[in-house]
Amino acid sequence: MQSPTPRLPQQPAATRAENDARLTVELASVLAGARRRALRDGDRQIDTAHLLHSLLETDADVRAAFGPGPQVARVLGYLVQRSIGYGLRWQGSVENSGVVPVVRAPEVDTSQYSPSAVVAIQGATERAEQRGEARAGGVDLLAALAADGECRAVEVLARAGVDAAELGGRIEAGTPVGSGSRLDMCNGVDGPDPR
């Protein structure tokens, strides 16, 4: 007799935000990665720390926004520790930094995302719209996360020695991180003058 095939836990259906045409393919992939991480960690909702972790793992433009040096490694170190100590106090609680999401359209299933994560995703799409872009990317989401001084992602950044306000300001200003970096190209900076 053959043993039955083990059943995998049922994955939640993709949210409308992940299928929304207002997100780049890369950002939709980041949201899917954050959802998998939340499931793996046993968290009830996808929070801003899940989003930050997925952004850093998958988006080179986001990593470039931090500039040279060990900042990305330090932030990832804190995020990795989430399931083995740091961040355990977050388990079973809903992240809400006090910013109330105003859902314009049912593009985000708020049962899967914390209120702060919903605000960040909406902030990313609004930032892209202000630039005249049809789709939000990873740097847009990073800027939205950095703008919420009370969210878990900003707490992780602070613990790793990253000033979220400074990071967000650099992104908003389009300040070059390094000559010809991917972030420079995203913000329309051509890199060094060849003369």
Side-chain angles (χ1 to χ4, degrees), residues 63-77:
R63 290 188 300 272
F66 285 85
Q71 286 188 332
V72 170
R74 284 196 312 256
V75 172
L76 281 170

Side-chain angles (χ1 to χ4, degrees), residues 79-97:
L79 290 164
V80 167
Q81 292 178 39
R82 176 187 184 129
S83 61
I84 59 171
Y86 177 75
L88 282 180
R89 61 186 158 64
W90 294 337
Q91 278 190 333
S93 65
V94 174
E95 175 191 32
N96 189 352
S97 61

